């Protein structure tokens, strides 16, 4: 977690550029923030607890003439969110400055060692040891900062992306990484270094991905050294994110914008993958033979995990391959029995989730073939996979994943049909593919009900306990809907298989408990009606998601949200949009900021 961004170059507004970058990285953490820049030749460190936007006002009292600045958004791991624990950290002399994304595992022993040598620590963070270690090796006029950084990082264990400069040489920024992502942005009048490419949007046309062990010197040019200290060249790539995707486009929050992005997001994920005759083609999978695949494992965390749960049954029903979805955070610590003819499908919007990354290493160590569905290009996970299917949904900034989920589900479905067809089931998913092409329009119809969902949220926002229940195709959606509500609204929301209610959870039902029942007219509709009746019999309140034209469900529900008719497997695309809108408006009714839920960060790069 944590976001870092720095700038050095001809622009004199380095502090504003560095700040702007961490505002775009708020999805990586926002419990505190800080920045360091030069003011009249002297370094100035500003830190705030809470939203990094609070730095804006603090900066306004300076005449911003610095050509170097580094900034940081924090998601606390070691030490509470406070100004003293916020980055940048500096050495004892107050001339070396450092921001960090990652975790220093051996910080306790290093801290004791450095304190014994006389270093004075001001924070409880793991990071601070790094800047004191640099200080150990840096002697003004005698050794270079680059030399000091190299020796300092040789003592570290863990993961890091560091940006470092010294006020003795405010023309040089050092960027170095191991285990945490770090990219360089190449702008017309200077260089950026950041945890992701988001800060480069509108500022740098090309970027370079640093590899593990790389150290870059940015001082009017870019010089990169690898872990062995050899000067190397890393290819610059064109940044293809459009400015528009990083902005809210008139919506009050990114979450709402991204919910409304879904018709386009799904269309982009399908584009070029279904041709006019209904043939499915994944260029990314050219040459892959699925004929021998004996089992499919789908692995991810949070929403990405639920996307896997949503589609796993289809792999069994249509492709007739045993399929199981695993939580990466559990899988990585098990001793799974893996076979050479398994296929592991990894799902990660960010491509940076540590648990998913580590689960991928486990699978690779067993020599199992890997395919991934990833949104962020060139991310750590994307680079480790045998084959990557990119989601093409643009930046997702809201911490609560919305459009990425729908896109993951659509890609997984197409993949299930593609694998089934490549194993001789020529017409697998034919009807579903036809209907999938209409789904963006039907999502548009659900989006037009946003006012109704807002009213519903405003009616129920004082309730503290919610069940989301569904069966078969509604099961994973129930869980994902509950995750959305708890993430942004901080109320107790549990996703449950509707048939499981009577095995325990129904004991909780009373008139204050609200149940969202996912009950489209599908093969388990009658069972859902029974489950709704069971809740009603205990005086629970029920909001049903049903198919347009269902004349009965209103009689057993307090409220009904009607969805356009589609085929059984595709209702989830419509249901999730309604549940996302409900969660969004619920948070707004409670006056929470849905883009920055407490205690969360978009990319979970810690254990
Ligand atoms: C979703 O709303 C969450 N913010 C979270 O569960 C997320 O899906 C999870 O951390 C996995 O992220 P990834 O897809 O980037 O790997």
């Amino acid at each position: 977690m944590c976001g870092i961004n720095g700038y050095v170059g001809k622009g004199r507004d380095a502090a504003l550029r560095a700040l702007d970058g961490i505002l775009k990285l708020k999805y990586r953490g926002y419990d505190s923030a800080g920045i360091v820049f030069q003011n009249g030749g002297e370094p100035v460190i500003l830190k705030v607890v809470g939203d990094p936007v609070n730095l804006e006002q603090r900066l306004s009292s300076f005449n911003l003439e610095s050509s170097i600045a580094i900034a940081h958004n924090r998601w606390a791991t070691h030490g509470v969110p406070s100004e003293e624990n916020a980055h940048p950290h500096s050495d004892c002399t107050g001339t070396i400055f450092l921001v960090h994304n990652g975790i220093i595992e051996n910080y306790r022993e290093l801290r004791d060692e450095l304190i014994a040598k006389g270093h004075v620590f001001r924070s409880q963070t793991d990071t601070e040891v790094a800047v004191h270690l640099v200080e150990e090796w840096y002697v003004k006029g005698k050794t270079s900062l680059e030399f000091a950084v190299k020796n300092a990082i040789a003592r570290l264990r863990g993961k890091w992306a560091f940006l470092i400069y010294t006020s003795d040489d405010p023309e040089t920024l050092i960027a170095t990484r191991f285990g945490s992502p770090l990219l360089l942005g190449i702008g017309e009048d200077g260089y950026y270094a950041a945890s992701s490419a988001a800060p480069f949007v509108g500022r740098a046309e090309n970027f370079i991905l640093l590899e593990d062990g790389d150290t870059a010197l940015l001082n009017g040019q870019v010089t990169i050294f690898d872990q062995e200290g050899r000067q190397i060249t890393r290819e610059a790539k064109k940044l293809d994110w459009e400015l528009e995707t990083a902005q809210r486009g008139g919506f009050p929050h990114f979450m709402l914008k991204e919910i409304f992005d879904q018709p386009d997001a799904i269309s982009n994920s399908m584009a070029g993958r279904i041709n006019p005759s209904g043939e499915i083609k994944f260029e990314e999978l050219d040459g892959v033979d699925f004929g021998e695949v004996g089992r499919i494992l789908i692995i991810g965390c949070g929403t990405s995990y639920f996307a896997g749960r949503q589609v796993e049954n289809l792999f069994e029903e249509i492709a007739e391959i045993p399929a199981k979805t695993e939580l990466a955070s559990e899988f990585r610590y098990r001793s799974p029995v893996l076979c050479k003819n398994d296929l592991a499908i990894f799902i990660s919007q960010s491509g940076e989730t540590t648990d998913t990354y580590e689960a991928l290493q486990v699978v690779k160590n067993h020599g199992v073939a890997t395919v991934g569905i990833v949104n962020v290009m060139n991310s750590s996970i994307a680079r480790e996979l045998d084959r990557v299917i990119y989601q093409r949904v643009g930046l997702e900034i809201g911490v609560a994943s919305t459009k990425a989920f729908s896109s993951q589900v659509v890609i997984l479905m197409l993949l299930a049909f593609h694998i089934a067809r490549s194993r001789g089931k020529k017409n697998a998913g034919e009807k579903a593919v036809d209907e999938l092409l209409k789904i963006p329009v039907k999502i548009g119809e659900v989006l037009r009900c946003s006012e109704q969902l807002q009213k519903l949220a405003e009616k129920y926002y004082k309730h503290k306990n919610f069940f989301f229940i569904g069966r078969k195709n509604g099961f994973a959606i129930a869980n994902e809907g509950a995750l959305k509500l708890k993430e942004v609204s901080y109320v107790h929301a549990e996703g449950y298989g509707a048939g499981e209610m009577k095995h325990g959870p129904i004991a909780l039902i009373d008139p204050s408990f609200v149940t969202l029942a996912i009950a489209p007219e599908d093969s388990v509709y009658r069972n859902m009606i029974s489950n709704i009746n069971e809740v009603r019999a205990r005086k629970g309140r029920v909001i049903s998601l049903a198919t347009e034209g269902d004349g009965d469900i209103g009689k057993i529900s307090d409220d009904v949200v009607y969805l356009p008719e589609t085929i059984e497997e595709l209702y989830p695309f419509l249901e999730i949009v309604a549940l996302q809108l409900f969660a969004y408006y619920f948070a707004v009714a409670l006056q929470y900021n849905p883009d920055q839920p407490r205690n969360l960060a978009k990319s979970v790069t810690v254990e």
Side-chain angles (χ1 to χ4, degrees), residues 301-304 347-351 353 356 399-401 408 483-484 487 601-602 604:
C301 291
T303 290
S304 296
I347 309 182
S348 177
Q349 184 285 131
S350 63
T353 303
T356 310
V399 167
S401 187
Q408 290 162 348
L483 177 64
K484 289 289 88 85
E487 265 187 299
K602 180 95 182 139
V604 184

Side-chain angles (χ1 to χ4, degrees), residues 496-511:
Y496 235 91
E500 280 296 295
M501 289 290 281
K502 56 188 171 299
H503 297 289
I506 203 163
L508 291 169
I509 296 291
D510 67 16

Side-chain angles (χ1 to χ4, degrees), residues 7-8 35-39 42-45 66 68-70 88-89 91 95-99 131 134 145 149 163-174:
Y7 169 80
V8 63
I35 188 166
V36 58
F37 56 97
Q38 297 295 115
N39 185 56
E42 292 300 317
V44 177
I45 298 183
S66 181
I68 191 164
I70 55 178
H89 292 289
D91 68 324
T95 58
I96 306 171
F97 308 97
L98 174 148
V99 292
V131 74
V134 175
L145 185 64
V149 168
L163 301 182
I164 308 163
Y165 87 87
T166 168
S167 50
D168 295 336
D169 174 15
E171 309 294 319
T172 302
L173 176 61
I174 293 188

